[in-house]
Amino acid sequence: MPETLNIYLERVVEYGPRLAESLTESGIMLGFASMAAILLGLPLGTLLFLTANGRPMENKFLYTLSNAFVNIVRSFPFLLLVIAMQPAIRYFYGRATGDPIAASFPMMVIAIALYARFVEQSLLDVPKGVLETAQSMGATIPQLVWKFLYVEARSSLLIGFTTAFVSFISYSTVMGVVGGGGIGDFAIRYGYQRYENDIMYTAIIVIIVFVEVVQWLGLKLARKIDKR
């Protein structure tokens, strides 16, 4: 048993640099996806809420357009979305494969749509009394959003982002198809395809631990900021 453990540790050390590189690649993709979710998904989800029927900015055209985008992207098989976006990525970025930044573009698109839906649902859960209070005080739309809706839904918004982030991790494992790298690609390339099961399971354990840490931190922070 000790000899087997020593062999395993030697192999982990051997593959360590490539594992670290794959984690960096995953970090790049997750970073871009997270920024897109917050900077674009949050406003889009808010727009969905505000422009729906009976809401302060009711606008059937804007709601239908935004809702269609979210539904189409979320229902699109992610692998096919990655492939379908290749020409556009190549045109705007210059290359579409072999680069974690290029691989981030499809992840940013799915991140926007996914988190927008979480945001919309979080805002729908805000008690109607909060909206009525804001309107009775003559709050403008920016004030309504920042001082009432986001404040009331902050815990739910954070939990939604944590859930979305875990999904981003799953999506990132697909990006090896276009040479984006990442921990999922490492598990397949250096584990599964080489019949190195111990390396593959090591990568899987790393992914599981990372997911658990993210979920724990997200839920802990959400409970801390929930003042209800």
Side-chain angles (χ1 to χ4, degrees):
M1 186 67 177
E3 183 179 352
T4 303
L5 179 60
N6 288 334
I7 294 174
Y8 169 71
L9 292 176
E10 289 175 1
R11 289 166 56 75
V12 169
V13 171
E14 176 187 353
Y15 283 99
R18 184 62 192 96
L19 176 60
E21 184 181 350
S22 71
L23 289 172
T24 300
E25 293 165 347
S26 291
I28 292 172
M29 291 185 283
L30 292 172
F32 277 105
S34 297
M35 286 192 295
I38 295 171
L39 297 179
L40 296 175
L42 179 61
L44 179 58
T46 306
L47 183 67
L48 281 168
F49 173 80
L50 292 173
T51 57
N53 185 37
R55 299 299 176 185
M57 289 177 55
E58 181 178 342
N59 187 310
K60 187 174 182 180
F61 174 76
L62 277 179
Y63 178 81
T64 301
L65 187 65
S66 303
N67 193 54
F69 168 77
V70 172
N71 285 340
I72 290 172
V73 172
R74 290 180 69 238
S75 61
F76 213 107
F78 185 64
L79 181 57
L80 296 181
L81 176 66
V82 172
I83 296 171
M85 287 187 63
Q86 295 299 290
I89 297 171
R90 191 174 292 109
Y91 177 80
F92 287 105
Y93 182 65
R95 60 185 300 184
T97 59
D99 184 346
I101 297 179
S104 298
F105 285 92
M107 288 191 58
M108 287 190 284
V109 172
I110 192 68
I112 292 168
L114 185 63
Y115 190 51
R117 189 61 79 195
F118 279 122
V119 170
E120 181 191 23
Q121 186 57 56
S122 295
L123 298 181
L124 285 172
D125 291 337
V126 173
K128 291 184 179 180
V130 173
L131 283 174
E132 294 171 354
T133 300
Q135 291 171 339
S136 68
M137 295 174 64
T140 62
I141 295 299
Q143 289 173 335
L144 170 65
V145 171
W146 289 101
K147 296 186 177 181
F148 292 89
L149 293 177
Y150 286 171
V151 171
E152 185 68 24
R154 59 191 176 214
S155 178
S156 179
L157 289 171
L158 180 57
I159 292 175
F161 179 77
T162 302
T163 304
F165 188 85
V166 171
S167 297
F168 302 162
I169 297 172
S170 298
Y171 289 130
S172 71
T173 62
V174 178
M175 301 317 299
V177 173
V178 291
I183 186 66
D185 179 61
F186 172 85
I188 295 172
R189 187 186 302 272
Y190 293 94
Y192 175 75
Q193 292 181 349
R194 296 186 180 186
Y195 301 100
E196 307 279 6
N197 290 335
D198 53 347
I199 299 301
M200 181 182 69
Y201 289 128
T202 298
I204 291 172
I205 290 172
V206 170
I207 295 172
I208 292 173
V209 170
F210 184 54
V211 168
E212 290 299 321
V213 170
V214 168
Q215 289 182 324
W216 178 77
L217 287 175
L219 291 174
K220 184 178 180 63
L221 184 57
R223 293 192 190 100
K224 186 174 182 179
I225 65 175
D226 188 358
K227 302 301 182 182
R228 291 174 296 178

